[in-house]
């Protein structure tokens, strides 16, 4: 005993689903980036002074400021003594008092109901009804620990408890946000990849959905289709017509609709608007408006970027009542989502109204953040398309660019020799030479033979320009080296 | 289409593990309690004026006040403008500044590393080292979204991805906290129940462990043993000798040790002390000190009771390095635990030191909460044992009493006729007649033919006395009715 061979857990006994699971957004390249940061702190000389983490949509980490009203309400909920001071506007105080009134013992340190505070669920329902022009019911709203938690809770319902041909199949876009592939792996379910059409601005073609499901049917039981709109990592925004087609497809194949709409506030392209799956479903009328749909939203993205609070919600409609009871039962075993995250959600879905003391500041802060992101979205796309060997679809929405890189054969061979995918090889070289940390496209999956990387558009504009200059220099050198 | 029969999810297609899953602490009786609250609010006359929720260890909900220092630090982290005011003591300001310095962009709205902030992990390690007298390494500390999240993350590693005789077996105490049975169900793993000895103060007998594992071996692959110390729902506290025996048993059978130690601050019996599994493992030396152990702690219990912040941590030692890498990779797919919950943990493991401005208040507030709980633990045990047809082991630790109720045959028959377990039948009657909401013992599992319920000891002392008077009256009437 005492040798490693005596461990209960070794690579031979570890849960095989755990071994398979990958989450590229925080994968090996990010581990290496952190090592480099530590090396710099320890005095190791690098060709750059610091690491730029463009791997993750972490708004405040890149200098974006929190929305004042949100933090004021949270501070008041946290330390209600502050309600007695003159430091805070009345609407922030009223909001905090309203949230605390709904907390047991008037403390955000008590558990809430597992679906979240009633006032917050009601405010979410009102927000959705205002947005879509169709009613939303507070009892269909489930607050969660970031959108990820809500997504996994819904996926859990759809599992079959079976392997192989009887396993639950989830249609996921390729490229996709790797939460989906990671959860599918963890759950022992099956991915049914459908490819977005890069040549047509990453559009979602129903003929491709039909191909994907037909090919998958011998290998699993298709249960749900995941759509990410606005797209992560693609930045594409679906049109209403496209959503109609997807809904009809899901109806034809009896699939549960999962709409990841966490970037709904992040729309940059001219003439483009966000349309929710819920709205389109309602517009289409029967039989479509009876379909099961879960839509997910987060406190972490948009203009607020409050990632650390782990706030999110799901609207889950048209569940059979028995199924809904089991869904709520499952959620209850997780106790409740963080109450401070619930309070963040409340501020987002119910911001100060015109005439209230915090209204103007809130709207100005929101507009400033969104205007800057819009500028950066345009800037990034333009720059990537000006560089030899790179093409990049317009960043119509969300927070990322996903440029395609055309790598010379010699680079592909060098990657193979190094035991890496070509885009990992490229992204690791970029990190080591410039300190820029991106995520290789293979982490999101991509069409075979194509190579990409994902970068956020979050760094402040001056830094972004400097970063992209360094990037361009690296890229041209890389091409020259492997020509 | 449009009929329920067209739904993707029905009871026939819903994940069968979801259907099986039970979480009694928020089960049907709690749903009914909430309905009754709504009925009272709607003006329905009841023989009581309000519902007393003694079903869940929710400290602030029952009037316990938060620790001032914790909330001051959190308010300062939330709204750093407050650092410039005179409202807060210097040590709270310094603590908040230290936490913010470790946050990216100095905002608790940014993601942390998936294992949590470095400063908090280091403070946890220092706390454990001071407590046990043995080193603890910050890299072994994983912050999590309440202890539940950490427990499920560790269980995930131990799954086999197989059904039936090849499924992972988890030894769990009976009675147990139903998170364990719920997680086992969700994961499609196997429970290996071992019975605690009610006749000997709910002691943990190794002969019973041997019986349990021997019986289970044809049906699953035993991988881990869960010990809850102090016990939930039993209130028992293990002796050092007992822990030594459990460790030797786990070593003999090559089991991963999972120590649920979330009630480590809640020790009430005279002459009894909390001893951690980590400390005993270290004391025992080789080969035991190389065994894999995960110990779990929470911000929700103890004297702080900050349930709503969902803070927790796990110390996971002696993982094989490859396994550890996979563990951290899995955690990374969950992004990070709520940062405000991480800040709560930091205050708990590193409270103000003597001489610092907040020290005396912190210690006084902590002592007051613990003194009241101690009083209530004694009071509850004494009262239950004075009532005909009830026996209750001493509440040595944690926050619950788990009295045994001796039900007349007629009551057992009436329960059967109503399609309920006898203890559910009893607890529902208690709720309907008195408004007191407890959890039937069957929700924690119990030895066949025995009946119990779990009640928290949290209500304020005057309310607790009133509640127990009403309870006594109900109980004697119940016995008379079914005599």
């Amino acid at each position: 005993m005492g040798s490693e061979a005596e461990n209960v857990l070794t690579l031979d006994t570890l849960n095989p689903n755990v071994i398979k699971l990958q989450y590229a957004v925080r994968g090996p390249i990010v581990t290496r980036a952190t090592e480099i940061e530590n090396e710099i702190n320890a005095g190791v000389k690098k060709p750059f002074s610091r690491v730029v983490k463009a791997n993750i949509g972490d708004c405040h980490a890149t200098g974006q400021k929190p929305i004042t009203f949100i933090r004021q309400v949270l501070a008041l909920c946290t330390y209600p003594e502050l309600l007695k001071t003159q430091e805070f506007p009345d609407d922030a105080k009223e909001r905090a008092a309203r949230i605390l009134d709904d907390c047991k013992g008037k403390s955000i340190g008590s558990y809430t109901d597992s679906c979240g505070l009633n006032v917050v669920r009601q405010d979410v329902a009102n927000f959705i009804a205002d947005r879509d022009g169709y009613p939303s019911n507070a009892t269909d709203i489930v607050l969660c620990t970031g959108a990820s938690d809500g997504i996994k809770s819904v996926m859990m319902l759809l599992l079959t408890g079976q392997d192989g041909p009887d396993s639950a199949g989830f249609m996921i876009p390729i490229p996709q946000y790797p939460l989906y592939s990671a959860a599918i792996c963890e759950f022992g379910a099956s991915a049914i990849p459908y490819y977005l059409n890069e040549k047509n601005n990453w559009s979602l073609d129903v003929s491709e959905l039909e191909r994907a499901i037909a090919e998958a049917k011998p290998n699993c039981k298709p249960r749900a289709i995941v759509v990410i709109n606005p797209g992560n990592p693609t930045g594409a925004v679906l049109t209403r017509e496209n959503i109609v087609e997807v809904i009809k497809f899901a109806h034809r194949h009896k699939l549960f609709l999962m709409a990841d709409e966490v970037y709904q506030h992040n729309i940059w392209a001219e003439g483009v608007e966000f349309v929710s799956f819920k709205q389109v479903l309602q517009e289409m009328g029967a039989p479509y408006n009876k379909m099961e749909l879960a839509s997910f939203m987060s406190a972490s993205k948009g203009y607020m970027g409050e990632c650390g609070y782990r706030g999110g919600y799901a609207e889950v409609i048209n569940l059979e009542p028995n199924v809904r009871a089991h869904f709520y039962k499952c959620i209850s075993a997780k106790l409740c989502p963080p109450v401070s995250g619930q309070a963040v959600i409340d501020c987002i879905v119910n911001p100060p109204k015109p005439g209230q003391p915090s209204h103007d500041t809130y709207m100005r802060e929101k507009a400033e953040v969104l205007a800057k992101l819009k500028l950066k979205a345009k800037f990034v796309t333009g720059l990537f398309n000006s560089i030899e060997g790179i093409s990049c679809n317009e960043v119509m929405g969300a927070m990322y660019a996903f440029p395609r890189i055309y790598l010379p054969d010699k680079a592909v061979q060098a990657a193979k020799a190094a035991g890496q995918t070509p885009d990992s090889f490229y992204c690791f070289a970029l990190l080591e030479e410039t300190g820029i940390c991106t995520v290789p496209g293979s982490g999101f999956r991509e069409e075979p033979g194509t190579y990409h990387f994902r970068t956020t558009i979050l760094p402040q504009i001056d830094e972004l320009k400097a970063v992209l200059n360094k990037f361009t220099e690296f890229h041209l050198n890389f091409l020259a080296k492997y020509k």
Side-chain angles (χ1 to χ4, degrees), chain A:
Chain A
M1 178 64 190
S3 75
E4 287 185 357
E6 288 283 348
N7 278 33
V8 175
L9 284 177
T10 65
L11 290 187
D12 291 334
T13 57
L14 186 62
N15 179 355
N17 292 339
V18 162
I19 295 179
K20 271 184 275 169
L21 183 154
Q22 295 296 338
Y23 182 70
V25 173
R26 294 192 163 211
I29 196 163
V30 186
T31 307
R32 177 65 193 137
T34 304
E35 282 171 13
I36 292 176
E37 282 179 332
N38 293 338
E39 289 170 18
I40 291 173
N41 291 339
V44 178
K45 280 271 173 260
K46 297 279 172 187
F48 45 89
S49 60
R50 68 183 202 83
V51 171
V52 177
K53 288 197 173 160
N55 57 294
I56 190 164
D58 190 355
C59 308
H60 294 189
T62 54
Q64 184 181 311
K65 294 282 167 261
I67 300 291
T68 304
F69 179 77
I70 295 176
R71 293 303 187 89
Q72 288 178 330
V73 170
L74 284 175
L76 289 158
C77 287
T78 304
Y79 193 59
E81 286 289 306
L82 294 169
L83 288 164
K84 300 175 198 157
T85 68
Q86 304 302 312
E87 312 268 343
F88 294 90
D90 284 346
D91 52 352
K93 288 184 180 178
E94 284 155 19
R95 179 63 58 88
R98 180 166 171 268
I99 292 168
L100 289 174
D101 273 344
D102 206 30
C103 292
K104 296 180 182 78
K106 293 196 193 299
S107 169
I108 60 167
S110 54
Y111 292 118
T112 67
D113 287 351
S114 299
C115 292
L117 291 168
N118 286 327
V119 290
V120 183
R121 295 170 79 194
Q122 188 57 61
D123 284 351
V124 170
N126 294 344
F127 166 79
I128 293 172
D130 285 353
R131 183 193 67 191
D132 293 343
Y134 291 94
S136 170
N137 197 325
T139 56
D140 289 338
I141 307 299
V142 176
L143 300 180
C144 35
T145 308
S148 309
D149 168 51
I151 291 165
K152 289 174 73 174
S153 293
V154 170
M155 290 175 79
M156 173 72 64
L157 301 177
L158 290 150
L159 302 179
T160 59
Q162 303 291 317
D163 282 336
D166 291 324
S167 65
F170 292 87
M171 299 193 75
I172 56 171
I174 302 298
Q176 52 108 34
Y177 174 54
L179 167 71
Y180 293 99
S181 48
I184 287 169
C185 217
E186 181 182 318
F187 289 149
S190 296
I192 306 175
Y194 64 88
Y195 289 96
L196 301 172
N197 186 351
E198 183 166 18
K199 293 194 188 70
N200 187 23
N201 271 315
W202 295 115
S203 66
L204 198 172
D205 301 340
V206 170
S207 59
E208 168 60 11
L209 296 180
E210 294 288 4
R211 179 209 61 77
I213 200 168
E215 259 180 47
K217 273 184 173 164
N219 309 317
C220 66
K221 300 254 178 274
R223 303 297 300 276
I225 179 167
V226 172
V227 179
I228 311 175
N229 179 45
N232 174 8
T234 64
V237 179
L238 297 185
T239 62
R240 183 179 304 263
E241 294 67 37
N242 212 176
I243 295 173
V244 167
E245 291 177 320
V246 173
I247 291 171
K248 287 185 175 171
F249 168 83
H251 184 258
R252 211 153 52 235
H253 293 279
K254 210 170 168 182
L255 298 175
F256 193 110
L257 286 160
M258 295 181 65
D260 179 337
E261 302 180 325
V262 302
Y263 294 99
Q264 61 188 267
H265 287 112
N266 301 103
I267 302 292
W268 320 124
E270 298 303 330
V272 164
E273 61 167 354
F274 168 74
V275 184
S276 75
F277 265 75
K278 167 86 178 297
Q279 186 184 50
V280 178
L281 210 68
Q282 299 295 339
E283 283 171 0
M284 289 169 75
Y288 306 104
N289 61 1
K290 298 290 178 212
M291 289 175 70
E292 294 142 292
L293 164 70
S295 160
F296 305 98
M297 180 55 180
S298 168
S300 306
K301 310 300 173 187
Y303 55 89
M304 47 285 181
E306 292 284 10
C307 311
Y309 281 98
R310 315 305 302 117
Y313 69 79
E315 183 186 30
V316 188
I317 62 170
N318 294 329
L319 287 188
E320 191 193 287
N322 284 319
V323 169
R324 183 150 84 169
H326 282 292
F327 180 43
Y328 289 1
K329 178 193 70 177
C330 273
I331 287 173
S332 78
K334 293 195 279 191
L335 297 162
C336 74
V339 187
S340 47
Q342 298 186 39
V344 175
I345 289 287
D346 194 65
C347 296
I348 296 164
V349 297
N350 184 12
K353 303 253 178 311
Q356 292 184 331
S358 302
H359 175 264
D360 293 354
T361 307
Y362 191 104
M363 293 305 151
R364 180 176 47 73
E365 290 175 346
K366 173 180 173 179
E368 279 176 10
V369 171
L370 292 176
K372 280 185 191 165
L373 285 170
K374 184 171 182 173
L375 196 71
K376 290 188 270 191
K378 278 197 187 312
F379 175 74
V380 165
T381 315
L383 190 119
F384 280 134
N385 283 320
S386 74
I387 304 174
E388 181 199 343
I390 296 191
S391 69
C392 185
N393 280 322
E394 184 180 8
V395 181
M396 299 161 73
M399 297 180 169
Y400 314 97
F402 195 64
R404 179 166 177 184
I405 41 179
Y406 298 84
L407 299 179
D409 279 349
K410 272 196 193 167
V412 174
Q413 297 311 320
K416 197 173 270 179
Q420 288 184 301
T421 63
D423 44 19
S424 283
F425 181 76
Y426 178 90
C427 290
F428 268 96
L430 175 65
L431 172 64
E432 297 289 345
E433 292 179 31
T434 68
I436 303 169
C437 179
T438 58
V439 186
S442 46
F444 305 89
R445 302 178 64 171
E446 53 200 343
E447 212 159 331
T450 69
Y451 309 114
H452 303 79
F453 64 90
R454 187 187 84 164
T455 177
T456 74
I457 59 166
L458 292 174
Q460 299 302 303
I461 190 79
D462 286 345
E463 177 163 45
L464 192 65
K465 285 181 180 169
V467 163
L468 287 170
N469 281 341
K470 282 208 300 192
F471 168 79
T472 308
E473 196 187 328
F474 160 82
H475 179 77
L476 297 177
N477 285 341
F478 186 93
L479 289 193
K481 184 171 173 186
Y482 293 103
K483 201 169 55 182

